[in-house]
Amino acid sequence: MKNILITGVSGYIAPYLCKALLFKGGCKLFGVYNSHKPGLDGVEHIQCDLANPEELNRVFEEVKPDIVYHLASVTPTRITTQKDDYISHFNGEVTAQVAMLCKQTGALMIYTSTDLVYKAGVNLREDSSPTEPLTIYAKTKLEGEVAVRESGVKHVILRTSLVYGFTLSSYTSFFDVAYKTLSEGKELRAFTDQFRNAIYVEDAAAILAALPAKYKHNDVVNFCGAEYLSRYDMCMGMCEVFGFEKRLVVPASCDEFKGYSMVKDLGLNREKLDGYGLGTSGYVVNLQKAKRILG
């Protein structure tokens, strides 16, 4: 029976990951949250401010994890409401402490970074494509990557693309906002000029759950779907599957967005992910799965 610790358990991917891990069995799950306690069956919830070193040390002493999924971070939706020093501390220094504690306990650390660390381009490869993070979020996630690598901990770093699917937590994604807007018959502006290899949240959870058994060496892996889609493409596909009116989707440019700098082209190479035998389903197929969730 393995002890598995998940930080950011009240976030977007974590509830799906908990379901996938419990389905596999053979583990005891511990989920760390700060202010929003999730109601997840089969998970022992631990309240902890990860930015407090003493509290974080206490969690590791109590759990003694075999595997740690470090999913917690200050996300792009929160960078405009947090000071840069705090974002750097949380995404960089806290990640460094988690890595150190994982090394001390002999735990495998799986760290979700972001594809936003890359310089814009296509066929972006983990070991050779240049990085050029444009936002404080991306810069500090890259700092987290460096901290994990330099710690000497057993690890897999996942450069995560845009994740889509219905939320099971208080977190609200682009997908949730788009679905609600279109289902209410309202117009939705969607970028036509930013492309990413978006990954379905259930596919992401299944890959995360399967990854520890496939660990052979420390690695950085593009964590993404196979299709290269704009948000406009994604919204049009949503209209087809859910029966919304396509005229409601209004073409827009990400140049209109003023919250923070956006990378337009992030075409990720999937050879490493495929080499682990961890595939993903197509976008329309996944939308049909999401539709079944609604009943």
Side-chain angles (χ1 to χ4, degrees), residues 142-217:
L142 189 57
E143 289 172 7
E145 286 191 22
V146 173
V148 172
R149 289 197 301 268
E150 291 183 348
S151 71
V153 68
K154 293 187 299 181
H155 68 264
V156 179
I157 295 169
L158 299 171
R159 288 182 173 165
T160 311
S161 187
L162 178 68
V163 182
Y164 66 94
F166 292 115
T167 187
L168 298 178
S169 70
S170 59
Y171 181 95
T172 303
S173 70
F174 159 75
F175 187 87
D176 294 294
V177 172
Y179 178 86
K180 183 176 186 295
T181 302
L182 294 172
S183 67
E184 292 174 350
K186 299 176 182 178
E187 286 190 350
L188 176 71
R189 298 182 68 79
F191 302 150
T192 61
D193 55 353
Q194 186 199 48
F195 292 82
R196 294 170 78 181
N197 295 94
I199 184 169
Y200 182 50
V201 65
E202 287 189 299
D203 284 346
I207 290 170
L208 285 166
L211 200 54
K214 295 179 177 291
Y215 172 83
K216 294 180 180 178
H217 55 83

Side-chain angles (χ1 to χ4, degrees), residues 50-283:
L50 295 176
N52 183 314
E54 290 76 19
E55 290 188 26
L56 184 52
N57 283 333
R58 172 182 56 80
V59 170
F60 271 77
E61 289 172 0
E62 292 178 359
V63 174
K64 296 179 176 58
D66 300 291
I67 301 167
V68 174
Y69 292 95
H70 185 41
L71 309 184
S73 71
V74 179
T75 61
T77 56
R78 290 176 56 206
I79 62 174
T80 56
T81 62
Q82 298 285 353
K83 293 182 178 179
D84 286 3
D85 287 349
Y86 178 79
I87 298 169
S88 181
H89 174 69
F90 198 96
N91 290 351
E93 294 167 29
V94 170
T95 298
Q97 186 184 5
V98 171
M100 178 193 69
L101 291 169
C102 285
K103 185 178 181 183
Q104 289 176 357
T105 58
L108 170 64
M109 180 177 180
I110 297 176
Y111 170 57
T112 48
S113 182
T114 174
D115 60 349
L116 297 173
V117 301
Y118 284 114
K119 183 176 181 179
V122 295
N123 196 32
L124 298 171
R125 294 176 177 270
E126 301 90 337
D127 303 321
S128 58
S129 295
T131 56
E132 188 180 73
L134 300 182
T135 65
I136 185 67
Y137 168 72
K139 290 174 184 176
T140 55
K141 292 300 283 186
L142 189 57
E143 289 172 7
E145 286 191 22
V146 173
V148 172
R149 289 197 301 268
E150 291 183 348
S151 71
V153 68
K154 293 187 299 181
H155 68 264
V156 179
I157 295 169
L158 299 171
R159 288 182 173 165
T160 311
S161 187
L162 178 68
V163 182
Y164 66 94
F166 292 115
T167 187
L168 298 178
S169 70
S170 59
Y171 181 95
T172 303
S173 70
F174 159 75
F175 187 87
D176 294 294
V177 172
Y179 178 86
K180 183 176 186 295
T181 302
L182 294 172
S183 67
E184 292 174 350
K186 299 176 182 178
E187 286 190 350
L188 176 71
R189 298 182 68 79
F191 302 150
T192 61
D193 55 353
Q194 186 199 48
F195 292 82
R196 294 170 78 181
N197 295 94
I199 184 169
Y200 182 50
V201 65
E202 287 189 299
D203 284 346
I207 290 170
L208 285 166
L211 200 54
K214 295 179 177 291
Y215 172 83
K216 294 180 180 178
H217 55 83
N218 295 344
D219 209 354
V220 180
V221 180
N222 288 334
F223 192 31
C224 60
E227 295 163 294
Y228 194 42
L229 302 170
S230 69
R231 298 198 189 211
Y232 180 84
D233 296 331
M234 295 174 71
C235 290
M236 293 300 280
M238 186 181 288
C239 289
E240 291 181 11
V241 172
F242 292 97
F244 303 140
E245 295 185 47
K246 291 184 178 180
R247 64 173 181 80
L248 295 173
V249 184
V250 180
S253 170
C254 62
D255 291 333
E256 301 173 17
F257 184 76
K258 303 303 180 184
Y260 47 82
S261 300
M262 302 192 79
V263 186
K264 289 190 175 182
D265 299 302
L266 288 170
L268 305 185
N269 180 285
R270 275 181 41 119
E271 287 180 12
K272 275 195 180 182
L273 188 63
D274 292 338
Y276 279 93
L278 299 171
T280 57
S281 299
Y283 181 64

